[in-house]
Amino acid sequence: MAISLRYGSYFYGDCQVGTERKERGVGSVEVLGGKNEFKGRQIVVKNQSSSDGWNPKDHSHCSIHASICLPRAMKWWEKSIVPNMTEITSSDHLVESLATAGDKLVIVDFYSPGCGGCKALHPKICQLAESNPDAIFLKVNYEEHKSMCHGLRIHVLPFFRLYRGAHGRVCSFSCTNATVKKLKDAMAKHGTERCSLGPAKGLEKEELLVLAPNRGARFNRPPALSSI
C-alpha cells in the first residue's frame, strides 16, 4: 500500500482519502496533521484493521510511502514581469546590459525585498515597462548586491537611474508610489527619438574602477570611450 500527498490532497493507493478517513476494501488509512499545506508539520499515518480482520501489521511486505509537492509562491518582485524587464545578477551583468543597450532608454531600478515603498511601486513599474516596450528596465536587488550598490552610491530606496546611449546617465533620483510622476516625466523627456553618436556609455569610468575590485570583475569599454 502507498500513500502519496500532493498539493495538500491525500491519496491511498488510487483513491483520494482527504484529511480524514476512507474505507477501501481491506482496510483504512487515517492521515493527520494537514490543512491543504505542509510546512514542517509532522504527518501521522495510522493503520487500522477492517471489519474482516485484515491488519497491515500482519503483512511485513506492506510499505507506506509519503511525499509532498508544493508550488513555490512567487515573491512580489517576481510578479507581473514583462519581457523588457531583467533581473541583474552581477556587476558584469549590469555593465554588459548597459553597454549593449544601444540607443534605447535604460531604467535601472534599485529595490529591496523588505522595502515597503519598493513593493508598493512595483506594479506601476511593471505597467510602465509594458507601455514602453522599447525601453529596457534593469532591476537590482539591493540585498543581493550590496557591494555593487555601495560602489554606485545607492543609499536610499527605491532609487532609479536612467541611461541613454552615448550620453550615459541622464538622470537619477528616488521616487515612491506617490511621486511616480517624476519617473514618468523623466522617461518622457529622455525617451524621445534621438541619434546618439557613438556606442552606449553606461557607467562612468570611476564607477567601473570601484566595482571591479569589489567583485573581481574586469570590465572592458569600447576603444572609442577608453579616454572618457
Side-chain angles (χ1 to χ4, degrees):
M1 128 179 113
I3 298 175
S4 176
L5 285 67
R6 295 177 181 170
Y7 298 98
S9 298
Y10 304 97
F11 296 82
Y12 169 58
D14 296 327
C15 299
Q16 185 172 353
V17 299
T19 57
E20 295 296 332
R21 182 185 296 173
K22 176 92 171 183
E23 299 292 337
R24 187 197 176 202
V26 296
S28 64
V29 173
E30 185 177 3
V31 182
L32 307 176
K35 291 184 179 179
N36 294 328
E37 62 179 12
F38 176 73
K39 295 182 179 179
R41 289 201 188 110
Q42 181 180 12
I43 295 181
V44 181
V45 180
K46 295 182 179 179
N47 294 309
Q48 299 178 351
S49 60
S50 64
S51 57
D52 61 1
W54 184 88
N55 192 323
K57 293 182 179 179
D58 298 331
H59 297 263
S60 58
H61 66 279
C62 193
S63 62
I64 297 177
H65 303 282
S67 62
I68 187 164
C69 300
L70 290 176
R72 185 180 70 85
M74 291 186 68
K75 299 177 176 62
W76 67 257
W77 59 91
E78 298 174 335
K79 296 178 180 179
S80 305
I81 297 299
V82 294
N84 57 328
M85 298 179 74
T86 301
E87 187 73 25
I88 293 299
T89 58
S90 66
S91 296
D92 278 319
H93 189 196
L94 176 62
V95 172
E96 181 180 0
S97 297
L98 290 172
T100 57
D103 195 38
K104 290 186 177 182
L105 178 66
V106 181
I107 299 92
V108 184
D109 173 15
F110 296 88
Y111 73 95
S112 172
C115 169
C118 302
K119 182 177 181 180
L121 188 58
H122 177 71
K124 291 188 177 180
I125 300 302
C126 294
Q127 291 174 6
L128 283 173
E130 186 175 12
S131 60
N132 294 273
D134 291 333
I136 299 174
F137 287 74
L138 305 178
K139 297 179 64 63
V140 180
N141 187 329
Y142 180 88
E143 297 302 325
E144 293 184 359
H145 306 291
K146 287 184 179 180
S147 178
M148 176 171 63
C149 291
H150 290 168
L152 296 176
R153 298 181 180 179
I154 306 300
H155 302 300
V156 61
L157 298 173
F159 196 83
F160 297 88
R161 282 187 169 194
L162 276 65
Y163 294 81
R164 184 68 188 270
H167 299 285
R169 177 160 44 122
V170 291
C171 65
S172 57
F173 50 84
S174 177
C175 77
T176 63
N177 196 33
T179 59
V180 68
K181 186 176 183 299
K182 183 190 299 186
L183 177 58
K184 293 179 179 179
D185 291 344
M187 290 181 61
K189 177 181 179 180
H190 300 289
T192 56
E193 291 189 11
R194 64 179 71 175
C195 180
S196 294
L197 300 177
K201 181 179 179 181
L203 298 178
E204 298 294 335
K205 183 176 181 181
E206 295 75 14
E207 293 175 327
L208 293 174
L209 294 175
V210 170
L211 293 184
N214 287 343
R215 301 302 296 265
R218 290 176 296 177
F219 305 130
N220 296 316
R221 273 276 182 82
L225 298 177
S226 61
S227 59
I228 296 178

